[in-house]
Amino acid sequence: MQTSNSPLAIRACWLSWIAVHSADQAELVAQLRFTNVRKTTWAHGVDLIDEVAHAGEERFSTVVITPAIDGWTLVIGAWCGLPYLTRTALVTNLCQQLSSKYGRAQAYFHSEQNDGEAWLIAEDGDVIRRWVAEYPELALGEPFGVERHLLDAFGIPGKPEDLDSEDDRASSWAATWGDCDAPTVAAESSLDPRQIGPQTQASGAVLVARTPPFEPLDPITGTAPYGESPGD
């Protein structure tokens, strides 16, 4: 039964999130050094996610943290966004560290404007796969699961990042991201935030927090300094 604070589907024009295989929300908040932590409702949290995504440079300052759902806790906000080039290496390093502690950590970016998809799957401290559709040169690891299945359907036996940009298969894949978006990958590997709803079992409060300051890193080398503005 839906109540005034029932779980809601999470959507935004540009939706970035990290999924951590942990049910300890308080420990995760401390681990990530968030400050100004406060409780909010699902409705306000969902509205805030989309509002922050449109907040220019301030979009990196605030995240929303869900209670545990099926063993996964989601941290949501542009601060988690792989396609923002000042964030790519930082988010990658963070997922490696979190997966070392919790076993599994993943990062995703989904655009409802059809201008990008990204995901990173880390297990036990290792990156299994990183794909950023706008920046194929940042790819790591091997496609697997639904990504591999859809690449096969497109007649791409290897990796999309290895295709020549003039290859018709590359153009076809890029035109629709191969129908392989981040929520589809997330649904297979962890949790699709768009599928949360009143039927979802979530024990605990939705939180809003301030993110720690960060020093931008080069997205390829993972070293500082890196002076470009975040990608849009």
Side-chain angles (χ1 to χ4, degrees):
M1 180 178 68
Q2 186 167 2
T3 67
S4 59
N5 193 28
S6 293
L8 296 171
I10 298 171
R11 292 181 175 272
C13 291
W14 301 283
L15 184 62
S16 306
W17 73 99
I18 290 174
V20 183
H21 195 239
S22 170
D24 194 331
Q25 185 192 52
E27 182 183 62
L28 186 60
V29 166
Q31 178 89 6
L32 295 174
R33 299 186 294 116
F34 294 147
T35 58
N36 297 340
V37 182
R38 60 195 186 278
K39 295 181 180 179
T40 190
T41 64
W42 276 92
H44 182 259
V46 170
D47 288 344
L48 184 61
I49 287 165
D50 196 48
E51 178 183 325
V52 170
H54 291 84
E57 291 298 319
E58 285 299 307
R59 61 187 153 187
F60 301 108
S61 67
T62 303
V63 290
V64 172
I65 306 106
T66 71
I69 300 170
D70 294 333
W72 293 90
T73 298
L74 306 185
V75 179
I76 308 165
W79 184 81
C80 309
L82 285 164
Y84 303 108
L85 293 180
T86 52
R87 297 296 307 162
T88 309
L90 289 160
V91 173
T92 300
N93 293 344
L94 185 58
C95 285
Q96 287 180 282
Q97 294 166 12
L98 291 170
S99 70
S100 290
K101 181 176 178 63
Y102 298 106
R104 289 186 284 172
Q106 304 165 8
Y108 296 94
F109 172 85
H110 171 63
S111 169
E112 294 199 347
Q113 311 303 312
N114 196 35
D115 55 11
E117 300 291 330
W119 52 85
L120 182 148
I121 311 294
E123 296 182 3
D124 299 322
D126 295 323
V127 174
I128 306 302
R129 176 62 168 162
R130 182 175 73 185
W131 170 250
V132 184
E134 295 170 282
Y135 305 104
E137 66 274 15
L138 299 181
L140 297 171
E142 298 287 336
F144 70 95
V146 65
E147 184 189 6
R148 177 71 269 158
H149 173 75
L150 288 169
L151 285 166
D152 291 342
F154 270 69
I156 302 173
K159 298 184 284 188
E161 59 265 31
D162 292 337
L163 290 175
D164 188 300
S165 60
E166 300 300 318
D167 191 312
D168 288 342
R169 294 174 301 173
S171 300
S172 180
W173 177 261
T176 61
W177 315 117
D179 294 325
C180 185
D181 61 14
T184 301
V185 176
E188 177 182 69
S189 296
S190 54
L191 175 68
D192 177 0
R194 303 179 307 172
Q195 299 304 313
I196 296 172
Q199 77 288 347
T200 300
Q201 298 297 311
S203 178
V206 176
L207 303 178
V208 178
R210 186 87 177 175
T211 60
F214 72 93
E215 180 180 17
L217 301 180
D218 185 284
I220 295 177
T221 67
T223 59
Y226 184 70
E228 292 185 18
S229 299
D232 289 318

